[in-house]
Amino acid sequence: MAIKTTFLVQTFTIKRKRLVPGDRELAPTEFGAMKKAEAMAGRMPGTAAIKVMADDETGELESVAILGQFGEIPDDFAESLEAA
């Protein structure tokens, strides 16, 4: 069982006056995810840098953490990650 750590940036857009998840982009490092999320926040309503730890063989999630958020993020975003 090998745990793999993935860093990504989740963008948020506004559709029908609601914040909804947009694109997800991979980042090579935690620092890279934070910098990319911060830079993209200037063009998007909101972004979040996320760290995902999962079993490389089974894909089973070990943990998900929000490293940083910029701009507007849905109130239930953190809860939705925990449920995933």
Side-chain angles (χ1 to χ4, degrees):
M1 179 165 120
I3 300 297
K4 180 180 179 186
T5 302
T6 305
F7 300 100
L8 40 95
V9 175
Q10 174 69 61
T11 63
F12 295 92
T13 61
I14 295 177
K15 289 197 178 164
R16 296 185 180 158
K17 299 181 183 179
R18 293 186 60 217
L19 278 172
V20 295
D23 295 331
R24 249 183 218 166
E25 291 190 26
L26 290 174
T29 64
E30 181 175 335
F31 180 76
M34 291 291 290
K35 292 309 264 181
K36 185 181 271 194
E38 189 174 12
M40 292 175 75
R43 302 184 311 267
M44 309 297 291
T47 61
I50 304 168
K51 175 182 178 180
V52 178
M53 295 178 71
D55 185 310
D56 200 24
E57 295 172 10
T58 66
E60 186 177 324
L61 284 179
E62 185 75 21
S63 68
V64 179
I66 298 173
L67 302 172
Q69 43 190 40
F70 305 90
E72 295 182 57
I73 303 296
D75 293 334
D76 62 349
F77 179 62
E79 295 156 8
S80 70
L81 287 178
E82 292 170 5

